[in-house]
């Protein structure tokens, strides 16, 4: 994505890290999904062919998500506010 990593986000056991998802653009056709997986990319872009996957569980209140043809993810960050600022306030969607 257009965001630039400021530092490597290293977390210890039981710590949290956050990434934002752009699931679709406003006028884009979408499909409903009941499950979601995100692939981890190594530090160097396109450096690993076998990407480790993180399965995302939807909360009990959410039955499905609408996803477009080109969903994107931000860099991981230990600061939730930084991710929210990029997603909702910077106009980078």
């Amino acid at each position: 994505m257009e965001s630039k990593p400021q530092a490597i986000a290293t977390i210890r056991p039981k710590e949290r890290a956050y990434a934002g998802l752009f699931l679709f653009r406003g006028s884009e056709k979408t499909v409903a999904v009941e499950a979601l997986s995100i692939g981890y990319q190594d530090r160097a872009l396109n450096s690993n062919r076998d990407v480790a996957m993180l399965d995302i569980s939807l909360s009990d209140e959410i039955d499905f998500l609408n996803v477009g043809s080109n969903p994107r993810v931000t860099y991981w960050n230990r600061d939730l506010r930084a991710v929210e600022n990029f997603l909702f306030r910077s106009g980078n969607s």
Side-chain angles (χ1 to χ4, degrees):
M1 290 188 44
E2 297 84 15
S3 66
K4 301 290 184 225
Q6 301 300 310
I8 296 170
T10 303
I11 59 171
R12 294 183 191 99
K14 298 187 181 182
E15 288 185 329
R16 294 181 183 203
Y18 305 92
L21 295 173
F22 291 103
L23 297 177
F24 62 90
R25 294 194 179 270
S27 61
E28 184 177 15
K29 290 186 180 185
T30 61
V31 296
V33 298
E34 296 177 358
L36 183 68
S37 295
I38 298 173
Y40 285 103
Q41 175 66 44
D42 204 352
R43 292 178 185 162
L45 187 60
N46 297 321
S47 62
N48 50 336
R49 298 199 186 273
D50 297 323
V51 177
M53 299 302 287
L54 173 65
D55 294 326
I56 307 297
S57 299
L58 302 181
S59 71
D60 292 338
E61 295 85 26
I62 299 174
D63 295 325
F64 63 91
L65 293 173
N66 289 318
V67 179
S69 61
N70 189 26
R72 300 179 296 157
V73 64
T74 66
Y75 289 102
W76 289 92
N77 196 312
R78 293 186 344 192
D79 182 358
L80 176 59
R81 288 185 185 169
V83 173
E84 291 174 335
N85 283 338
F86 183 80
L87 289 173
F88 301 115
R89 296 181 187 94
S90 68
N92 286 317
S93 55

